[in-house]
Amino acid sequence: MTTRRLTVLLALLCAVSCSRPKHYELKGQILAVNRDKQELLVKHEEITGYMMAMTMPYKVQSLGMLDNLGTGDLITAQLEVNDNGSRLPGLAKTRT
């Protein structure tokens, strides 16, 4: 295989593998709901293998996900992380 072909092949493999999102389980408490920005401010536990416990805003996949959520609600969520940032594509209220 020529060097040029090998370089192109490696670039294609990286493009495919580097852009795959990673998923983590997030458990926390909602401190604020911002419908205008389509996000939640969540005080969360440590996300094993990703980050320590902290308070951060997280975008949700759709505005409808914010329905029936409020300050103080406890949630579990799927955190999706990729090269462009992170978002919550799914969540469930565990307690109010």
Side-chain angles (χ1 to χ4, degrees):
M1 185 176 284
T2 66
T3 303
R4 180 179 166 91
R5 285 185 182 173
L6 183 58
T7 302
V8 170
L9 179 61
L10 289 174
L12 287 172
L13 287 173
C14 183
V16 170
S17 66
C18 295
S19 62
R20 289 188 184 171
K22 294 184 180 180
H23 296 92
Y24 303 93
E25 182 180 359
L26 178 147
K27 293 180 182 180
Q29 182 178 32
I30 297 173
L31 299 182
V33 177
N34 188 329
R35 294 186 70 80
D36 293 336
K37 291 185 177 182
Q38 198 170 314
E39 69 182 21
L40 296 171
L41 181 62
V42 180
K43 178 180 177 182
H44 62 77
E45 298 174 2
E46 176 183 359
I47 301 172
T48 306
Y50 184 61
M51 82 171 55
M52 64 182 156
M54 63 178 64
T55 301
M56 287 185 59
Y58 289 99
K59 295 275 187 195
V60 295
Q61 183 171 322
S62 67
L63 191 57
M65 291 174 64
L66 300 178
D67 295 344
N68 302 314
L69 293 177
T71 302
D73 289 346
L74 299 178
I75 61 166
T76 59
Q78 178 185 21
L79 174 63
E80 182 180 276
V81 180
N82 61 34
D83 296 338
N84 298 323
S86 62
R87 68 181 181 142
L88 303 177
L91 63 85
K93 184 167 35 173
T94 58
R95 223 174 4 153
T96 302

